[in-house]
Amino acid sequence: MSKSSTILQVHDICRYFDEKEVIHNVSFQVEEGDIFGFLGPNGAGKTTIIRMILGLIKSDSGTIKINNYDIKSQFLNAINKVGAVVETPTFHENLSGYQNLLLIKNLHPELPKSRIDEVLEIVGLTSRAKDKVHKYSLGMKQRLGLARALINYPKIVFLDEPTNGIDPQGVVQLRELIVQLAIEEKITFFITSHILHEIEQICNKVAVIKGGHLVAHGYVKDLLSKEVETVDIVTEYKKDALKLMKPLDFIEDMVEIETGVRVSLKTGHSGELNKLLNNHLQVDYLIPVHQSLENVFFELTGGGKNE
Ligand SMILES: Nc1ncnc2c1ncn2[C@@H]1O[C@H](COP(=O)(O)OP(=O)(O)OP(=O)(O)O)[C@@H](O)[C@H]1O
């Protein structure tokens, strides 16, 4: 086995449904300890890719390795160190948190019973372990789901929309827990979420899928420090501003907004633009728009539309 710290390697995978190619030559990798965000508009192909990674369906070409094991030819080894929490984890509501975990532990006779206490402690549910699950808040159920996913010492945990329906305090707790587990236990997280702000706060890397293609992959900080900046020009004279800016080669994109015009321009040209606009028409303000993952996502995916 190679000494590489790559925990998940997706290489050149394709998938057809009814002779139509829906996943096109997608490659990316996730390193140990990463908190990896997996993003894309509805129908982009995220679920299909995750299902291929977890061995639930097969890719038509390409390879997927988890922990250096091939998901097709070495399935049991590959899946052995994988944990997953689906959107809303389900439990036996009339059993306690502890009893629910005991059922899972019993599927792994090699694990000591004390592992249940450990995972309850990790997710902060020790004091509520004896309560029946129907008394738990959604945030607590999500944490119990994480405890269940952790029981077999996974190296990588897949979380699908982990904060769906959780109150803000629960979201903060879960986020802190994920970061703590990534740092202290070197657990890798693979997270899908529609809340880009959340992904930006928690993930160090992301992959963005659109129309079955990988359109971006890398460190969040690199995606954010792009060569393009966005500025809102606040003016009553929108049409004149658009006309004036149209021939400028440092302008990447312009769109009318309620207060004026939003412009994407090559970084470093906003002073020049300001001067030019003020020489020709009345501009109230130029407001820099904070570059967020959300802006980058919309730039990459065309405002959330898939094609
Ligand atoms: N079993 C299937 N048979 C035929 N087409 C499918 C099947 N599963 C997925 N598709 C198609 O593959 C494409 C990708 O779908 P997928 O569910 O992977 O997208 P997604 O990014 O997970 O979307 P969402 O965020 O809405 O869950 C879509 O065009 C979908 O219609």
Side-chain angles (χ1 to χ4, degrees):
M1 211 165 81
S2 113
K3 285 213 169 110
S4 141
S5 63
T6 301
I7 181 85
L8 170 65
Q9 188 169 41
V10 174
H11 181 68
D12 211 19
I13 54 167
C14 296
R15 170 75 200 199
Y16 291 78
F17 283 119
D18 308 324
E19 292 175 16
K20 186 173 171 254
E21 191 175 10
V22 293
I23 303 297
H24 314 266
N25 305 93
V26 169
S27 299
F28 60 86
Q29 60 185 44
V30 179
E31 311 294 329
E32 210 165 71
D34 277 345
I35 304 181
F36 191 89
F38 197 50
L39 312 172
N42 290 340
K46 302 179 297 296
T47 308
T48 305
I49 292 172
I50 291 174
R51 293 179 75 206
M52 289 192 276
I53 293 172
L54 297 177
L56 299 169
I57 58 170
K58 288 198 160 58
S59 60
D60 290 311
S61 60
T63 52
I64 295 170
K65 287 184 179 176
I66 304 178
N67 209 12
N68 283 314
Y69 293 109
D70 186 277
I71 194 71
K72 285 185 193 165
S73 59
Q74 298 167 294
F75 175 75
L76 287 178
N77 280 326
I79 215 71
N80 187 29
K81 292 290 168 204
V82 172
V85 185
V86 293
E87 203 164 313
T88 319
T90 50
F91 298 97
H92 298 279
E93 298 273 329
N94 280 322
L95 298 182
S96 68
Y98 185 95
Q99 287 167 321
N100 269 279
L101 293 181
L102 183 61
L103 290 175
I104 302 300
K105 189 230 98 59
N106 287 343
L107 300 173
H108 300 277
E110 74 285 3
L111 294 176
K113 244 184 169 181
S114 58
R115 181 62 183 157
I116 302 175
D117 301 313
E118 273 172 27
V119 291
L120 282 165
E121 178 74 31
I122 290 172
V123 302
L125 282 177
T126 304
S127 64
R128 303 292 303 273
K130 290 194 174 128
D131 290 355
K132 292 194 171 159
V133 169
H134 69 76
K135 289 190 181 155
Y136 284 16
S137 68
L138 253 176
M140 289 167 69
K141 284 186 187 172
Q142 197 62 252
R143 282 187 281 144
L144 186 62
L146 188 53
R148 182 167 66 186
L150 292 175
I151 209 154
N152 195 26
Y153 301 97
K155 279 177 164 281
I156 181 165
V157 174
F158 289 79
L159 301 177
D160 183 21
E161 297 285 344
T163 57
N164 250 9
I166 301 185
D167 62 74
Q169 197 194 348
V171 170
V172 173
Q173 281 177 346
L174 188 67
R175 195 191 297 147
E176 286 175 356
L177 181 58
I178 291 169
V179 172
Q180 182 198 336
L181 286 167
I183 294 171
E184 289 176 10
E185 312 280 331
K186 281 232 175 296
I187 292 177
T188 307
F189 285 91
F190 188 101
I191 304 175
T192 60
S193 173
H194 282 91
I195 306 168
L196 297 175
H197 171 65
E198 199 170 277
I199 291 281
E200 184 179 342
Q201 283 189 326
I202 192 175
C203 296
N204 62 328
K205 285 189 200 155
V206 289
V208 183
I209 303 289
K210 184 197 175 193
H213 293 272
L214 185 79
V215 292
H217 169 218
Y219 287 98
V220 172
K221 64 174 170 31
D222 291 344
L223 283 175
L224 294 182
S225 60
K226 291 194 8 154
E227 288 126 25
V228 174
E229 59 184 313
T230 304
V231 175
D232 282 351
I233 298 160
V234 181
T235 179
E236 279 177 38
Y237 305 97
K238 298 182 196 179
K239 296 277 177 268
D240 296 332
L242 285 165
K243 202 165 146 196
L244 194 63
M245 290 188 289
K246 202 166 172 217
L248 302 176
D249 60 4
F250 56 81
I251 300 281
E252 301 270 319
D253 197 15
M254 302 187 286
V255 60
E256 262 191 62
I257 54 173
E258 205 182 324
T259 53
V261 181
R262 177 164 288 184
V263 184
S264 300
L265 69 161
K266 290 201 175 87
T267 301
H269 290 273
S270 57
E272 196 179 331
L273 179 67
N274 192 11
K275 219 161 157 187
L276 179 83
L277 289 167
N278 276 302
N279 282 341
H280 291 87
L281 48 98
Q282 196 194 329
V283 169
D284 298 335
Y285 310 101
L286 241 66
I287 307 174
V289 178
H290 168 66
Q291 183 69 327
S292 67
L293 192 58
E294 195 152 356
N295 302 137
V296 176
F297 179 82
F298 283 113
E299 249 173 57
L300 289 167
T301 62
K305 289 190 288 292
N306 208 17
E307 301 293 349

